[in-house]
Every structure is written in structure tokens, then in C-alpha cells.
Amino acid sequence: MVDLALLLALGSIIAAVLISGCLGDGPAPERDQVVRTIPPAEASALIDKMGQSSEFVIIDVRRPDEFAGGHIPGAINIDSADFSERLASLDQDGTFVIYCRGGVRSAVVREQMREAGFREVYEIEGGMNAWKAAGLPVT
């Protein structure tokens, strides 16, 4: 006969695992989802590696006037204030590099993209300020 204490212990463990799985902060991220912050040099290497791939997009989330004052070559501008409305127009299976001036706005956008299930998103640590300080190209 099975020991009652063992059954209760096993049942408690199973219940705890099931409950903890239901109390998360929304849907679990995909196993192959990569969403992280990288230094400017690593972002530059990624941009060089990905080249002109149609699945690769560099997004400057600053205001249009900031973008016009200088941006990473090849970047498109989607103001962070409008980003949630434009999110659906982006390919979730693409690879994205995002940045702002110093990292605050791009951190918000990075989380929006993570929560929306984007597969691969890299935020430039320190934004355009760090990019320029590293001596990397600006258009």
C-alpha cells in the first residue's frame, strides 16, 4: 500500500509546479527568442554581418528631428511615441537592431517587441550617444 504522506507530498509538488506556471508575467517567451542589449561594437559587427538582408532592420526610435540630425547608416525612423501603432507592420521573424539617444526609449520599445513575440531584437546599449562615443559611422 502506498504511504499517504508520500502521496500528499507528491501532490503538493505537482500543485506547486502547476500554480507557478500559471502565475507568470504573461505568455512565456519562445525558446528561440533572442531579445537583449548589446554594446555598440557588437551592434556594428551585427550590422556588417547582416548587410542588406531583407529580414534585417535597424530602427531609430528617436523623434524625426533627432533622426535628421544624424543616425546609423541604413536605419529607418519609427518614433517611440508611435511605435505601438507601427508594431503590427513589422515582421516578427526578422532581426532588429533598435536604439534611441541614450537607451531609455529603446528599452521600452525592446520590451514591447519582446512581449509581442519578436524573434530577434538587439538594443544598442547607451544608444546613439554610445555609438558616437565609440567612433562608429553616422549619416
Side-chain angles (χ1 to χ4, degrees):
M1 189 164 209
V2 179
D3 184 30
L4 183 59
L6 178 61
L7 281 176
L8 286 173
L10 221 60
S12 296
I13 292 170
I14 292 170
V17 168
L18 291 174
I19 290 169
S20 68
C22 294
L23 295 178
D25 295 334
E30 301 269 335
R31 281 195 219 278
D32 61 348
Q33 187 180 38
V34 176
V35 179
R36 64 188 189 95
T37 302
I38 59 175
E42 190 176 336
S44 179
L46 179 63
I47 291 167
D48 289 344
K49 175 185 167 194
M50 295 299 290
Q52 299 298 318
S53 169
S54 62
E55 298 167 355
F56 179 69
V57 183
I58 307 164
I59 304 175
D60 183 322
V61 299
R62 298 176 299 161
R63 295 185 320 267
D65 61 306
E66 293 173 290
F67 181 80
H71 55 272
I72 294 174
I76 64 168
N77 183 222
I78 303 176
D79 190 328
S80 63
D82 303 323
F83 199 83
S84 60
E85 292 96 40
R86 301 274 306 273
L87 197 59
S89 68
L90 300 172
D91 179 6
Q92 290 186 337
D93 292 325
T95 300
F96 298 87
V97 169
I98 59 172
Y99 68 95
C100 63
R101 184 182 65 216
V104 175
R105 292 173 282 182
S106 58
V108 171
V109 167
R110 179 195 69 223
E111 287 307 301
Q112 287 176 340
M113 294 178 84
R114 181 188 62 75
E115 290 171 6
F118 280 76
R119 185 181 59 81
E120 198 167 354
V121 179
Y122 300 93
E123 176 193 14
I124 299 176
E125 181 178 30
M128 184 56 98
N129 291 340
W131 182 269
K132 286 179 180 177
L136 295 167
V138 175
T139 296

